[in-house]
Amino acid sequence: MIIKIIIVLLLIFILFNLFRALFIMVSGKTGGRPMSHFLGRRVVFSVVVLVVVIAALKLGFIKANNSPMATTAHTQIQINTTKPHLQSANTKQQLEKQSAYL
């Protein structure tokens, strides 16, 4: 449970740095830390989150869901409810035979 809280806090910190960089970009303030500082922090903490998730999976602190469809899979059985009917390979109507000599 503590691992999940750490991951969520890191993700919130990543969003905080992203919005700080956005604020600097929109406001155009140049006195202080540059926008690239906050974007660099975001990238570093994204890598940290990825490493923490992989380590927690390998150490067994969190469990991966192998197949999301496994819990919601339903089997469906098809029942033949159609009535049998006669079919013909010839679907064209027969032309009437007329005699020209009547």
Side-chain angles (χ1 to χ4, degrees), residues 53-96:
V53 168
I54 291 173
L57 282 170
K58 293 293 182 183
L59 295 173
F61 292 127
I62 57 176
K63 183 180 175 189
N65 188 3
N66 293 334
S67 174
M69 297 302 290
T71 58
T72 60
H74 298 286
T75 56
Q76 196 172 27
I77 300 171
Q78 183 175 359
I79 300 171
N80 189 5
T81 58
T82 59
K83 296 179 184 174
H85 59 278
L86 297 175
Q87 292 182 345
S88 172
N90 187 6
T91 57
K92 287 187 177 181
Q93 292 182 352
Q94 295 289 332
L95 295 176
E96 290 184 22

Side-chain angles (χ1 to χ4, degrees), residues 11-31:
L11 290 174
I12 290 171
F13 189 67
I14 289 168
L15 284 175
F16 174 74
N17 282 312
L18 185 64
F19 282 111
R20 290 274 309 257
L22 176 70
F23 178 73
I24 291 173
M25 182 180 71
V26 171
S27 68
K29 293 182 179 180
T30 56

Side-chain angles (χ1 to χ4, degrees), residues 2-12 49 52-53 56 62:
I2 191 78
I3 296 293
K4 293 178 184 180
I5 293 171
I6 291 171
I7 292 170
V8 168
L9 290 176
L10 285 171
L11 290 174
I12 290 171
V49 166
V52 167
V53 168
I62 57 176

